[in-house]
Amino acid sequence: MRTLLTLQSQLCPDLLSIMHKRYTVLRRIYYLQPVGRRSLTSSLQMTERILRSEVDFLREQGLVNIAQAGMTLTEQGLEVLQKLQPFIEEYLGYSQLSGELKERLNIQEVWIVPGDSEHDEWAKKELARAGAQLIKSWVREDQVVAVAGGSTMQAVAESMSPTPTFKRTTFVPARGGVGDAVEHEANYIASRMAKNSGGRYRMLHVPDQISEEAYQLLTQETQISDVLHMIQEASVLVYSIGDAKTMAGRRKYGREFMQLLEEKQAVGESFGYYFDRNGTIVHRTKTAGLRLRDLPKVGRKIAVAGGASKAEAIAAICSVFPQDTLVTDEAAARKILSQNHPL
């Protein structure tokens, strides 16, 4: 494929550009369907004249339907979109980018979506869809999937769809609550994943920050101990990666703690651990649920995180957590590879 792309870029560079543009239109219609022309124009930031021309061409090719409710893809349009994806990713250089990132972070697999999910809502949706697709491809019947909290995980949960396998899948929160908005809590996200996929779920009614004495007392409760056991025996773990200061703010830490993070040069947080850019733990929060020592026992791990501002956090945590796969966006991937400090 690379040889063909090289030849095409030398002989017919405009052809690849046009193909990429039409692929982008098809992909956006797929995500928004049914969608009106005005909404699509705004989403793609194209002029109405150019979009009208592209949509008319796609309709003539039998790839798009236009109705009063809006535009939708035909079955042929969906097939073309799916078959074009690897070709377009190669054209955009994502295969090479993924390979470099795998080597840099020393992880098994990297999925990259276009854009910067921190600033582009559609990039965040694509990031979430990629995470949901990966869960769907990995999960087997009678398995437990542990999920962490956060806005990215919420987006992944909303991108889940039913399959027969999910009917016998149990979703559990990887951790207790952090006092954040309820829709970002792991309990809520586990329930949403179960509802949208057709699976089952269990909840962990324990605060995230808890003393050891309280933790030992609560784990004597059968319902809580059963869920904790399920979490620690999870076959798949899905989590995101947070900016250190942002996560400290969500936990309502005061100025003194923020100054500590500044002094320790903390860049990222996950599972209650705060890390500097070299992957060194600079602070640990006592948490209920999965802890660092539990991660090697989890069968497969998926980290879903994007945005250029999270590049240092992603790089630091991926160098410590033995996850199988990172799902990220182009902005974060390129920022990580541009950093000069050792990981």
Side-chain angles (χ1 to χ4, degrees), residues 152-201:
T152 300
M153 287 296 95
Q154 180 196 5
V156 173
E158 298 305 334
S159 297
M160 300 286 285
S161 58
T163 68
T165 300
F166 282 139
K167 290 182 179 179
R168 298 174 62 87
T169 299
T170 303
F171 295 88
V172 295
R175 297 168 58 187
V178 299
D180 195 23
V182 65
E183 64 270 18
H184 295 165
E185 295 282 4
N187 273 324
Y188 176 82
I189 291 168
S191 70
R192 291 297 300 169
M193 281 194 175
K195 180 178 180 180
N196 291 335
S197 67
R200 303 171 294 197
Y201 68 94

Side-chain angles (χ1 to χ4, degrees), residues 157-317:
E158 298 305 334
S159 297
M160 300 286 285
S161 58
T163 68
T165 300
F166 282 139
K167 290 182 179 179
R168 298 174 62 87
T169 299
T170 303
F171 295 88
V172 295
R175 297 168 58 187
V178 299
D180 195 23
V182 65
E183 64 270 18
H184 295 165
E185 295 282 4
N187 273 324
Y188 176 82
I189 291 168
S191 70
R192 291 297 300 169
M193 281 194 175
K195 180 178 180 180
N196 291 335
S197 67
R200 303 171 294 197
Y201 68 94
R202 296 286 301 274
M203 288 192 169
L204 180 64
H205 297 292
V206 177
D208 186 52
Q209 300 176 67
I210 190 171
S211 68
E212 185 63 32
E213 182 180 0
Y215 180 81
Q216 294 300 329
L217 184 63
L218 284 169
T219 54
Q220 294 177 23
E221 297 291 335
T222 302
Q223 184 178 4
I224 292 175
S225 64
D226 286 349
V227 176
L228 286 172
H229 179 73
M230 292 180 72
I231 295 170
Q232 292 167 354
E233 296 296 320
S235 298
V236 177
L237 166 65
V238 192
Y239 69 98
S240 191
I241 293 168
D243 171 78
K245 291 182 179 178
T246 300
M247 293 305 300
R250 284 174 54 184
R251 290 190 170 88
K252 307 295 190 296
Y253 283 129
R255 182 179 301 176
E256 185 177 341
F257 184 75
M258 292 296 190
Q259 290 176 344
L260 172 66
L261 294 181
E262 186 77 29
E263 292 170 5
K264 298 289 186 178
Q265 297 184 327
V267 297
E269 185 276 345
S270 207
F271 299 100
Y273 294 85
Y274 292 80
F275 297 84
D276 66 16
R277 63 176 57 185
N278 298 312
T280 302
I281 298 172
V282 299
H283 179 78
R284 173 193 171 191
T285 303
K286 196 70 173 180
T287 63
L290 277 179
R291 302 181 185 184
L292 192 59
R293 64 173 182 263
D294 300 318
L295 298 188
K297 297 184 295 183
V298 178
R300 308 190 80 166
K301 292 162 282 290
I302 307 169
V304 185
S309 69
K310 284 189 179 181
E312 283 195 316
I314 294 168
I317 290 172

Side-chain angles (χ1 to χ4, degrees), residues 30-50:
Y30 171 69
Y31 285 159
L32 297 176
Q33 61 185 340
V35 59
R37 195 185 301 273
R38 183 172 297 179
S39 296
L40 190 60
T41 300
S42 175
S43 171
L44 290 167
Q45 296 183 339
M46 285 184 180
T47 65
E48 288 191 19
R49 181 181 63 82
I50 291 175

